[in-house]
Amino acid sequence: MSFETVVVTDWSGASTPSPVRPSKDAIWIGVACDGGVTTSYHRTREAATEALCALFAAEMDSGRRVLAGFDFPFAYPRGFARALTGRGDPLALWAEIAARIEDGADNGNNRLDVAAEINRRFPGEGPFWANPLGRDIADLPRTKAGYANPFGERRVCDDAPGAQPVWKLAGVGSVGSQALLGIARLEALRRRFGAALSVRPFETRDTPVTLVEVFPSLIRKTVADLAEPEEIKDRAQVRVLASALRALEPADLDAMTREGDPEEGWILGLGHQAALDAAARAAAAPPLVPPRLRNDCFALPQGVDWVPVDAALDRLRAALHPLTATETRPTAEAAGRILAAPAVARRSNPPRPNSAVDGYGFAHAATGEGAQRLPLVTGRAAAGQPFDGAVPRGAAVRILTGAILPEGVDTVVLEEDTATDGTAVVFDGPVKPGANTRAAGEDVTEGAQALPTGHRRRAPELALLSALGIGSVELFRPLRVGVLSTGDEIVSAPDLPARPHQIWDANRPMLLSLARGWGYEAIDLGRVGDDRARIAARLDEGAREADVILTSGGASAGDEDHVSALLREQGTLSSWRIALKPGRPLALATWRGAPVFGLPGNPVAALVCALVFARPALSLMAGAGWTVPQGFAVPAAFSKAKKPGRREYLRARLTAEGAAEVFRSEGSGRISGLSWATGLVELPDGAAEIAPGTPVRFLPYASFGLV
Ligand code: AMP
Ligand code: MG
């Protein structure tokens, strides 16, 4: 069997609550599941036990099996259980200990008195020893002078390096105290969860919750290596051990939980330290990152001069691949993110056949044409309150929307079509078999793919994934998009003074906002002047911090086009002369493995090129696949004689009649037209004669994901 959730608890035998501020030598709980590992700090055993109860219940509700490890001995050296309870069963000893231990909500407890009480049953000074209190306790020796123990000093598994004997109630680890107090609490969990909980290796049945003994010191060195700076040791221990156990092959982990001695118990993973270390490191290792792009990925074949837009898009699509690593995240946190693996339904929706309306349910076979009169059974079926029992053939049951169809019911008649006196229901037949019911799995069946790889998660997907019990999903890390502006004339922000020859940076805010709106992590690389060394330094930074870089300005082939000159020097530039208006060449290159899109400086051209080329390319690199904007044929509200040779994008919006009007000027410096428009009209590569009423292709901004 496999455990979806692994819990590791670092226990404490303290007699007062631990400090408010998370500290060492207190109770720490680490929980590793699909979504990663979390830790929590608890000031008292009672608080920790409550937290565990809530966790177990929640995990059981969602069908996830829990392995919960505790770092105190679950049993004593051979012979002790039998001597105390008459049975060689450690769980009988648990009940015996629990019956004696009192452990308050403030950690106040009687463990030392219980130990003394037990000692009294055996001759000599022992087996329990070490009293940390100021007051003497009769029959509990402070030291081992005159110590006599009829049982072994250690269990076989306590030979593990660093393991302390269970008889010692104080001093390093105070293992003896932790065990007495811990066993009492675990016995309470056993009672609370009954058949849903088992303790290995003493019990072997598969249960939703399984308890085991663990010992984080088994992987002491790895824990130290993987601890975060300043991390409290106890926290690091539960965090690293929980993720290590979770990272083991499920079958290996299951086998480990069954090892050991049925009387003395066992430390989980003893003898498998190397596997645990490796699993801990694997769980902590940074995720695999896909290979970067090849340097020559944008190269065009020799002799290519002007590239039509569609050919350029095809080439771009072929050159690129997803660039980001993947991670598992809770469904609820995945808004706007892209699935890196298909989401598979954990159970059907709906899980069971249920009623689609408020009404009366019955077996269709017992009804016919004309007036029907069916006696009502006592009780009702409601959503969340299933009807207990079967409805006899020929009888009916009151049923509400969403209620599971009780046994014997396959059809529901709508309340409005019935009359009732409380003992019987009457209605007119015939009623269609299965009327007003929803079949199990009619929406999605268990095990079916609910969403494919590459799907972007929006609000509706949250509903679907939640309905199907998918609590965590495999996602691509958000693509990091760096944005850089270049040009001696560019001044960073509108609040800086600009001399007449200077202009405020319009492209960077626009491109950053586009990237963010597309769901990526936008990284502002600032603005640099026309200085190759500076541009190079900024591109270095971009390649370190971002997966892809968008630059604007300096992308043509002129004297002042330093971005392209620099990229050409590095030998990775491909200047794509795309047959497109507005838009001069698109400079495509890689810089230290990061793709660089050199967009035109002109804001109108920069936006059009970003929408037409960068958007599908970024989508592909982010893992969501290539995108094609959805266009609509609408009548033109303008006239134009278009020359052949270049595809044209005009700033456009729809009139009240649904025709496309275009901005008064095609001048590519007219930034105001971008915001006047609500989309672009796309005119074909060839010649076109457009008069009012001629159908043209309108691409709303929303089709480019521009919101
Ligand atoms: P370039 O591609 O560098 O030749 O620039 C073309 C035109 O766009 C010039 O008029 C530049 O001043 C202008 N331009 C370049 N970058 C920006 C920017 N970030 N914001 C606004 N205008 C820009
Ligand atoms: Mg320039």
Side-chain angles (χ1 to χ4, degrees):
M1 87 182 252
S2 62
F3 300 101
E4 284 78 18
T5 304
V6 175
V7 182
V8 170
T9 301
D10 188 326
W11 197 245
S12 157
S15 294
T16 53
S18 303
V20 176
R21 236 183 89 178
S23 3
K24 65 186 182 71
D25 298 332
I27 301 184
W28 284 89
I29 299 179
V31 181
C33 60
D34 243 356
V37 58
T38 53
T39 59
S40 57
Y41 168 80
H42 304 271
R43 297 184 59 206
T44 61
R45 283 179 292 277
E46 178 135 315
T49 312
E50 291 295 315
L52 288 169
C53 277
L55 173 70
F56 294 170
E59 297 303 277
M60 280 170 62
D61 267 357
S62 7
R64 286 188 289 265
R65 278 157 307 200
V66 180
L67 180 71
F70 296 82
D71 73 334
F72 53 80
F74 276 19
Y76 291 79
R78 198 172 305 284
F80 182 63
R82 184 173 299 279
L84 213 62
T85 68
R87 292 163 57 200
D89 171 10
L91 295 179
L93 184 58
W94 281 29
E96 177 72 24
I97 290 173
R100 296 167 184 246
I101 289 282
E102 288 160 22
D103 185 17
D106 59 352
N107 272 356
N109 64 81
N110 66 346
R111 72 192 190 285
L112 300 174
D113 306 291
V114 169
E117 213 174 285
I118 294 175
N119 276 354
R120 247 166 257 144
R121 306 196 28 181
F122 302 102
E125 301 264 300
F128 287 107
W129 70 281
N131 169 7
L133 302 185
R135 72 176 165 98
D136 280 335
I137 298 179
D139 300 304
L140 185 62
R142 281 188 186 279
T143 67
K144 278 185 114 177
Y147 181 65
N149 182 355
F151 310 103
E153 180 65 356
R154 292 168 182 266
R155 302 176 295 162
V156 170
C157 61
D158 291 331
D159 278 341
Q164 298 284 322
V166 290
W167 309 116
K168 199 174 107 184
L169 298 172
V172 180
S174 52
V175 171
S177 289
Q178 294 210 28
L180 287 175
L181 294 166
I183 285 171
R185 292 285 180 180
L186 295 192
E187 177 64 15
L189 289 180
R190 288 189 71 217
R191 298 214 181 123
R192 177 118 161 216
F193 287 91
L197 182 148
S198 62
V199 187
R200 291 190 190 172
F202 316 131
E203 296 173 294
T204 51
R205 66 208 154 86
D206 289 347
T207 47
V209 180
T210 304
L211 308 187
V212 284
E213 175 182 339
V214 297
F215 187 41
S217 300
L218 284 188
I219 54 168
R220 185 187 290 115
K221 185 161 176 315
T222 304
V223 170
D225 289 349
L226 297 177
E228 294 160 4
E230 315 281 307
E231 186 175 18
I232 293 169
K233 185 176 149 211
D234 313 50
R235 176 178 188 269
Q237 286 187 339
V238 300
R239 184 175 63 73
V240 172
L241 184 56
S243 20
L245 294 172
R246 180 69 174 55
L248 288 170
E249 277 299 315
D252 293 348
L253 179 59
D254 183 52
M256 276 184 206
T257 62
R258 297 174 190 278
E259 290 176 353
D261 184 286
E263 191 178 340
E264 288 199 336
W266 195 248
I267 294 169
L268 178 72
L270 188 58
H272 303 287
Q273 280 95 325
L276 284 179
D277 283 322
R281 289 183 195 281
L288 283 180
V289 178
R292 303 204 108 177
L293 295 173
R294 289 205 340 263
N295 269 348
D296 59 354
C297 67
F298 296 123
L300 289 181
Q302 290 284 315
V304 170
D305 193 8
W306 285 94
V307 191
V309 172
D310 286 338
L313 289 172
D314 285 346
R315 296 202 71 88
L316 204 50
R317 183 175 190 171
L320 300 171
H321 60 72
L323 288 185
T324 66
T326 63
E327 61 183 0
T328 309
R329 302 298 310 155
T331 299
E333 288 174 23
R337 303 276 302 271
I338 300 157
L339 290 186
V344 174
R346 277 186 50 214
R347 71 174 198 189
S348 296
N349 182 47
R352 302 286 295 276
N354 64 45
S355 177
V357 298
D358 290 351
Y360 296 88
F362 47 84
H364 180 266
T367 63
E369 298 213 5
Q372 308 291 314
R373 183 175 193 286
L374 304 180
L376 278 173
V377 298
T378 329
R380 57 168 209 165
Q385 295 165 16
F387 178 79
D388 209 10
V391 175
R393 195 182 153 104
V397 64
R398 173 77 173 135
I399 191 163
L400 301 178
T401 308
I404 291 181
L405 299 187
E407 203 185 320
V409 172
D410 57 20
T411 302
V412 176
V413 60
L414 191 66
E415 179 172 316
E416 288 85 327
D417 297 339
T418 66
T420 179
D421 60 0
T423 61
V425 59
V426 295
F427 54 90
D428 275 337
V431 177
K432 269 211 283 189
N436 298 313
T437 65
R438 307 170 180 141
E442 68 174 23
D443 182 23
V444 183
T445 49
E446 181 181 332
Q449 175 177 304
L451 293 170
T453 299
H455 197 95
R456 202 182 280 275
R457 224 229 63 195
R458 304 155 306 170
E461 283 74 22
L462 183 59
L464 176 62
L465 295 173
S466 302
L468 300 176
I470 302 171
S472 61
V473 278
E474 185 77 5
L475 299 169
F476 285 103
R477 296 249 165 119
L479 189 74
R480 297 165 305 166
V481 181
V483 177
L484 175 65
S485 288
T486 69
D488 280 340
E489 75 281 27
I490 308 298
V491 182
S492 255
D495 50 357
L496 290 179
R499 315 248 295 278
H501 61 273
Q502 295 180 314
I503 60 169
W504 282 299
D505 188 349
N507 290 343
R508 193 151 44 99
M510 173 175 77
L511 296 172
L512 286 168
S513 152
L514 269 185
R516 241 175 257 125
W518 288 332
Y520 309 130
E521 188 183 328
I523 297 174
D524 188 352
L525 298 174
R527 161 269 163 204
V528 273
D530 291 316
D531 174 315
R532 284 181 210 180
R534 294 238 170 92
I535 300 173
R538 210 59 77 85
L539 289 176
D540 282 349
E541 187 190 326
R544 264 197 317 273
E545 290 180 11
D547 301 306
V548 49
I549 302 170
L550 305 182
T551 70
S552 68
S556 298
D559 291 350
E560 290 298 317
D561 289 314
H562 300 273
V563 173
S564 33
L566 180 68
L567 295 170
R568 188 172 305 110
E569 272 169 29
Q570 303 287 325
T572 66
L573 176 75
S574 294
S575 278
W576 288 19
R577 303 223 293 158
I578 299 167
L580 164 85
K581 183 181 171 190
R584 305 230 297 277
L586 182 65
L588 292 166
T590 56
W591 185 269
R592 307 205 188 290
V596 180
F597 281 67
L599 302 170
N602 205 299
V604 176
L607 181 70
V608 168
C609 282
L611 297 184
V612 174
F613 295 104
R615 175 174 183 257
L618 294 179
S619 174
L620 184 66
M621 290 186 278
W626 190 258
T627 54
V628 179
Q630 185 170 28
F632 303 89
V634 299
F638 63 95
S639 304
K640 182 178 164 76
K642 181 195 171 292
K643 292 202 220 75
R646 293 206 282 174
R647 183 171 299 183
E648 285 187 31
Y649 290 93
L650 308 176
R651 283 149 281 177
R653 67 184 185 190
L654 296 183
T655 62
E657 293 73 41
E661 56 175 339
V662 294
F663 192 55
R664 63 191 144 79
S665 160
E666 290 183 19
S668 65
R670 304 283 189 104
I671 304 178
S672 63
L674 289 178
S675 90
W676 170 92
T678 58
L680 301 174
V681 156
E682 182 186 70
L683 299 181
D685 297 0
E689 200 59 53
I690 297 171
T694 309
V696 290
R697 189 167 141 87
F698 179 69
L699 298 159
Y701 279 157
S703 289
F704 293 104
L706 204 167
V707 283

